[in-house]
Amino acid sequence: MDAIRKQASRLRDQVARQQQAVFKQFGGGGHGSGLSDNAELHQHQRLEKLYISTRAAKHYQRDIVRGVEGYIVTGSKQVEIGTKLSEDSRKYGSENTCTNGNVLTKAALSYGRARAQMEKERGNMLKALGTQVAEPLRAMVMGAPLEDARHLAQRYDRIRQEAEAQATEVARRQAKARESQGHPDILTKLESAEAKLQDLKSNMTTLGREAASALSSVEDQQQKLTLERLISMVESERAYHQRVLQILDQLEGEMVSERQRIEAPTTPSSADNMQPPPYNMPPPSYNMPPPPSYEEANGVFASDMHDTSTDCMGYFLGEVLFPYHGVTDVELSLTAGEYVVVRKVTGSGWAEGECKGKAGWFPYEYIERRERVLASKVSEVF
């Protein structure tokens, strides 16, 4: 339909120019019956270009909205999958079923925490794309200014068609007046037709200026708003990828450091010179948050500030690998080689348990789960 309309408009312009040339050639131009002068033709062409420009920009804005909405749908599904993987990794790390060290346990806990952080960042990015990109563009596509400007252009087009038809009527009456050699009735009808044509041309000129001004304003708004939303989309995605890169760099550093420590060659020595493991070297920091409150330590209530997704597990005995000195009243100090009854492990890296009649929180990575313990060691716990 747009192509047909454009072709019809070109044909009307061509006919109008031909009519004007004929009127000038045969002396009819003195009555002012010609419709398409240069100014009017320029205005018509400008309106046509503005109409095409605003329509193309509207379609592009709509394409961006559809693309962002689809990206949000698929991204939300990825967040759901990644969150499930994070929970599974934390669960494995908290259960610690391996009987030969806790290297994979630490890696699983670290990966679970990092994955949860990355999915949180992804969710923030998707939210920003929805509120800062899709919603403003959708509002402009469906907004009143664009529709009002397009309606003005359509009214101008209808009046222009009426004026063209009236110009043809004036030309016909002019020819008839020349043939009648100044008949009064024919001259009166000619003057009436010319007056109507002048009114139509005046209305067409006024409406054309209004439509051009409205479409020009809409075009300017479309260009600026769309560019701003594209920049906002790029900045949101860039910030997301930078944050994820930082999380992955930190996670990789922790995992590689632990692997190098495990794979480092040991110095050969005789059985007589063998020394016990260095319990005085604690594991690297994992940016742990503060321990839960005293009420949480005794199970009075659960705080929203701590992740309790891994709290539901059975009691077990753990051997203290590294000494730990509690800082707050809710923390439990430990000595390397002691055994502790672990009653709860949180996803934030803290464990709650009892040793020698005292209870409190301590870093879970400072102990190692033991399935078999000498009876004498068990008695020392209590």
Side-chain angles (χ1 to χ4, degrees):
M1 293 299 295
D2 291 333
I4 295 175
R5 176 178 175 174
K6 188 175 182 180
Q7 184 178 5
S9 178
R10 286 199 298 267
L11 289 175
R12 286 196 299 270
D13 292 340
Q14 183 178 358
V15 171
R17 286 193 294 269
Q18 291 174 352
Q19 287 178 345
Q20 187 177 16
V22 171
F23 293 153
K24 289 181 179 179
Q25 180 178 358
F26 292 100
H31 295 277
S33 60
L35 173 64
S36 297
D37 56 17
N38 291 333
E40 193 283 326
L41 183 61
H42 175 73
Q43 179 173 267
H44 176 70
Q45 292 174 346
R46 180 167 180 259
L47 270 175
E48 196 170 55
K49 292 179 180 179
L50 285 170
Y51 192 92
I52 294 173
S53 173
T54 54
R55 181 188 60 197
K58 173 184 177 181
H59 291 171
Y60 181 49
Q61 289 177 330
R62 186 174 58 194
D63 292 338
I64 294 176
V65 171
R66 290 174 178 175
V68 171
E69 288 175 344
Y71 188 76
I72 291 175
V73 171
T74 56
S76 299
K77 185 62 177 178
Q78 291 177 333
V79 171
E80 181 181 346
I81 296 173
T83 302
K84 179 63 167 60
L85 178 57
S86 170
E87 293 173 354
D88 292 341
S89 298
R90 289 185 176 189
K91 180 179 179 182
Y92 176 83
S94 300
E95 291 177 350
N96 190 19
T97 57
C98 181
T99 60
N100 186 21
N102 60 350
V103 178
L104 183 57
T105 298
K106 296 179 180 179
L109 286 172
S110 298
Y111 180 80
R113 286 193 293 271
R115 172 55 62 182
Q117 293 174 356
M118 289 188 289
E119 299 309 328
K120 181 179 179 181
E121 295 295 333
R122 188 196 300 271
N124 293 338
M125 179 195 64
L126 296 177
K127 183 178 180 181
L129 292 180
T131 57
Q132 300 178 16
V133 180
E135 291 181 4
L137 291 180
R138 186 188 300 109
M140 187 165 195
V141 169
M142 305 299 295
L146 175 60
E147 294 303 317
D148 292 343
R150 291 167 69 88
H151 288 160
L152 285 175
Q154 292 168 358
R155 286 176 55 195
Y156 163 83
D157 192 60
R158 287 194 296 269
I159 292 181
R160 193 172 192 275
Q161 293 177 14
E162 294 179 9
E164 288 174 350
Q166 187 64 23
T168 303
E169 176 67 14
V170 168
R172 186 181 67 81
R173 292 189 178 279
Q174 286 175 346
K176 192 172 182 179
R178 285 192 297 269
E179 294 174 357
S180 66
Q181 297 181 355
H183 191 279
D185 291 340
I186 295 177
L187 291 178
T188 300
K189 291 180 180 180
L190 174 60
E191 291 175 356
S192 176
E194 288 178 339
K196 182 178 180 181
L197 177 60
Q198 290 300 322
D199 290 340
L200 287 173
K201 289 175 66 175
S202 176
N203 293 337
M204 181 181 65
T205 301
T206 302
L207 190 59
R209 286 197 295 264
E210 293 177 358
S213 176
L215 284 175
S216 179
S217 176
V218 169
E219 182 188 45
D220 185 60
Q221 294 176 11
Q222 285 177 329
Q223 299 293 314
K224 291 181 178 179
L225 179 65
T226 305
L227 178 60
E228 290 174 358
R229 296 310 96 196
L230 285 176
I231 293 175
S232 178
M233 182 164 59
V234 171
E235 290 176 345
S236 297
E237 293 194 71
R238 180 173 178 268
Y240 161 71
H241 289 294
Q242 286 180 335
R243 178 58 183 146
V244 168
L245 182 59
Q246 294 175 356
I247 296 173
L248 290 175
D249 285 343
Q250 180 180 358
L251 177 63
E252 182 187 26
E254 294 174 356
M255 288 184 170
V256 170
S257 177
E258 187 66 17
R259 184 182 63 182
Q260 291 176 348
R261 185 182 69 81
I262 298 300
E263 295 179 352
T266 58
T267 303
S269 59
S270 63
D272 295 337
N273 294 328
M274 291 181 62
Q275 300 294 328
Y279 289 118
N280 59 339
M281 296 178 61
S285 172
Y286 288 89
N287 297 324
M288 293 173 57
S293 65
Y294 176 82
E295 288 80 3
E296 289 174 326
N298 291 275
V300 175
F301 62 87
S303 172
D304 293 335
M305 298 298 294
H306 297 276
D307 181 6
T308 59
S309 60
T310 59
D311 285 351
C312 298
M313 59 187 299
Y315 289 16
F316 63 90
L317 285 175
E319 182 180 0
V320 180
L321 301 180
F322 310 100
Y324 179 73
H325 300 285
V327 178
T328 64
D329 295 335
V330 298
E331 296 179 49
L332 178 63
S333 298
L334 301 174
T335 303
E338 292 180 339
Y339 284 80
V340 58
V341 176
V342 181
R343 298 181 294 199
K344 179 183 296 186
V345 178
T346 69
S348 60
W350 289 94
E352 192 275 338
E354 180 178 357
C355 180
K356 296 183 178 179
K358 297 182 180 180
W361 294 95
F362 51 88
Y364 178 68
E365 292 145 347
Y366 278 57
I367 69 166
E368 186 171 87
R369 184 168 181 162
R370 293 289 184 254
E371 299 295 335
R372 297 180 179 179
V373 182
L374 295 176
S376 60
K377 296 294 184 180
V378 174
S379 63
E380 292 177 1
V381 175
F382 303 96

